[in-house]
Amino acid sequence: MRKTSLRFVGLGAVLGVTLGLTLGIASGACAPLIGADFGRDERSAATDGGERGDDAPVSDDPSSGEDGTDGTDSGDEAIVEPQPVACTVDTCPLETVLDHLYGPVTIASSGHHLYFVEVGDGIPQAGTFGWFSRVPTDKSCTQRSCFDVIDPYVASGQLQGQYIYDTHLALGPNNVCFTQSFNASPAHKIRCYDLVGFDRTTLDESAGQVVDLWVGSSTARWALVNPGGTVQGAPLSGTGAAPVASGRTGLTSVTSDGTTTYFTEKGAGANAGVVGAVLTDGGVRPLATGRDTPAASTLYGGYVYWAEVPARKILRAKVDGTGAVEQIANTDETPFELAVDATGVYWASVGPGASGLKGSVSHAGLAPNGPVDLMMKDLPLVYDVAVDSTHVYAATVGASIQDGKIVRIPKTL
């Protein structure tokens, strides 16, 4: 899963969470079906709601007057516009965008298209491979023939007992990338595709397990563990990866504004977690210390936001390191992925119990300690959450390998 971010399977490694679920296996053996609708240039819209795609955060603190004007006094009474009301499980219907998917574990939305990766073994017409695909967001898709398959050779088996670790997807303004890690002694591969012709570039292929991935307009960042802990970076041209910060302990997420890179790490003991900014010399400026398994970092409006998994909290700190850590909200059990934009903070939680069948997606405003809106509930094995300008999306694996879904709900009434 935050981006997206510390995703669901990764929680097992960090927290010892056990699913206790046996996934079924289907089969299929036909030539991959490759979609042809790759002509549209959607680079101007290609972010996933501020979660991973923006090179520069947009401030939520206007520099104009407090009444939304230019700060001058016109002598007239200010007109207060009604604020949008967030959708909840009780006020807005949940729509199934895609059904009968085989292990959809990571998603991103550009507004025009929904991107997703399936890691199940048994996709019809895929042989034994998984798929990286996209579909338009303006229609529901009940047949696989409407998929544009970007890469038909994704390693399958992540959910079926194979040495395949978390799969991560990140969407930038010009490119979409995904990474998989595999083997008992982990190695990884990062593949990127431009959003015009979908030409592929292999960004990195080396040792270590990737636990998070961020993509900007010209560069990418990822967090590597096992062995060690390193934040890596590379230009999207694929001209070579290099360490950005080394010697970290228990990395859980990475994000960036295109200039400065930020990360979260578990640390070496209880309440030893760090939220940090990487300096130009490779050093680190701590933004928050003594944290309880911080994860799923993302930037917005001069703040870095993150989830604290055991403590069930969403928090933020200023990117310049000034001021105190602020709590945005309490969460359901095991929050693991979040997205932030001008409409607020959205996060996914595994939910109570070991089965993972009571997952949820919730929302809170940007101001600390505001009300929490429950937007989705009873999600069976939720693995990721994404937002665009109008909707909130969740990917669920379901009780068997062919029961995956992507669902969505409008952001507001």
Side-chain angles (χ1 to χ4, degrees):
M1 121 148 15
R2 2 3 190 197
K3 49 275 275 343
T4 327
S5 54
L6 184 66
R7 303 187 188 277
F8 190 80
V9 174
L11 289 171
V14 176
L15 301 176
V17 174
T18 303
L19 298 185
L21 182 69
T22 301
L23 295 174
I25 300 177
S27 63
C30 296
L33 171 68
I34 309 299
D37 183 22
F38 291 138
R40 179 172 185 173
D41 184 348
E42 61 174 344
R43 289 175 297 178
S44 61
T47 74
D48 54 359
E51 180 189 1
R52 296 281 181 234
D54 296 330
D55 267 4
V58 180
S59 175
D60 60 276
D61 182 16
S63 58
S64 59
E66 291 183 355
D67 62 356
T69 68
D70 61 1
T72 60
D73 186 0
S74 66
D76 296 327
E77 183 177 351
I79 299 174
V80 179
E81 296 291 338
Q83 295 299 307
V85 177
C87 278
T88 70
V89 293
D90 298 319
T91 59
C92 296
L94 190 66
E95 176 189 358
T96 298
V97 180
L98 297 169
D99 204 352
H100 304 298
L101 299 179
Y102 286 68
V105 293
T106 181
I107 56 174
S109 176
S110 68
H112 295 308
H113 286 90
L114 181 68
Y115 296 82
F116 59 99
V117 178
E118 297 171 275
V119 296
D121 178 359
I123 297 173
Q125 304 180 22
T128 60
F129 291 100
W131 274 2
F132 171 34
S133 310
R134 72 171 189 175
V135 295
T137 56
D138 60 357
K139 64 178 180 180
S140 295
C141 178
T142 58
Q143 301 293 326
R144 301 189 73 87
S145 59
C146 70
F147 292 12
D148 292 328
V149 182
I150 299 169
D151 192 330
Y153 300 113
V154 174
S156 63
Q158 176 180 325
L159 306 174
Q160 296 164 281
Q162 304 299 314
Y163 271 123
I164 308 293
Y165 303 93
D166 297 5
T167 301
H168 301 278
L169 175 66
L171 182 62
N174 307 308
N175 302 80
V176 60
C177 304
F178 82 96
T179 179
Q180 290 188 291
S181 302
F182 34 80
N183 297 335
S185 298
H188 66 273
K189 180 181 290 186
I190 302 174
R191 296 173 177 169
C192 294
Y193 307 79
D194 74 82
L195 293 176
V196 180
F198 286 85
D199 296 324
R200 187 176 79 184
T201 300
T202 298
L203 198 62
D204 189 38
E205 190 171 2
S206 59
Q209 176 187 347
V210 176
V211 296
D212 199 14
L213 174 67
W214 172 89
V215 173
S217 62
S218 60
T219 59
R221 298 285 186 266
W222 57 96
L224 277 176
V225 299
N226 194 13
T230 306
V231 177
Q232 296 271 111
L236 291 170
S237 61
T239 54
V244 176
S246 302
R248 310 315 308 171
T249 303
L251 285 167
T252 54
S253 72
V254 65
T255 189
S256 179
D257 59 13
T259 302
T260 303
T261 300
Y262 303 84
F263 67 90
T264 56
E265 65 179 1
K266 182 182 178 182
N271 296 317
V274 173
V275 180
V278 181
L279 304 176
T280 55
D281 62 0
V284 169
R285 180 177 69 240
L287 305 180
T289 58
R291 310 316 308 177
D292 187 4
T293 315
S297 59
T298 188
L299 295 173
Y300 186 78
Y303 290 88
V304 57
Y305 292 77
W306 70 91
E308 295 207 352
V309 184
R312 299 166 55 178
K313 295 178 180 179
I314 305 297
L315 302 113
R316 73 177 186 180
K318 291 183 177 180
V319 296
D320 63 6
T322 63
V325 171
E326 297 177 320
Q327 180 173 329
I328 299 298
N330 293 309
T331 75
D332 288 343
E333 292 182 30
T334 318
F336 65 92
E337 179 65 287
L338 60 89
V340 186
D341 65 12
T343 62
V345 186
Y346 303 83
W347 64 91
S349 300
V350 174
S355 70
L357 300 179
K358 295 288 185 180
S360 65
V361 172
S362 300
H363 163 268
L366 295 171
N369 296 309
V372 173
D373 305 299
L374 178 62
M375 304 189 79
M376 305 181 196
K377 66 177 182 178
D378 297 333
L379 299 174
L381 297 186
V382 59
Y383 258 72
D384 204 2
V385 65
V387 300
D388 57 28
S389 61
T390 58
H391 287 84
V392 183
Y393 299 80
T396 67
V397 167
S400 62
I401 199 61
Q402 69 273 16
D403 288 344
K405 291 184 179 182
I406 297 175
V407 296
R408 73 179 183 181
I409 190 172
K411 282 183 169 180
T412 58
L413 294 173

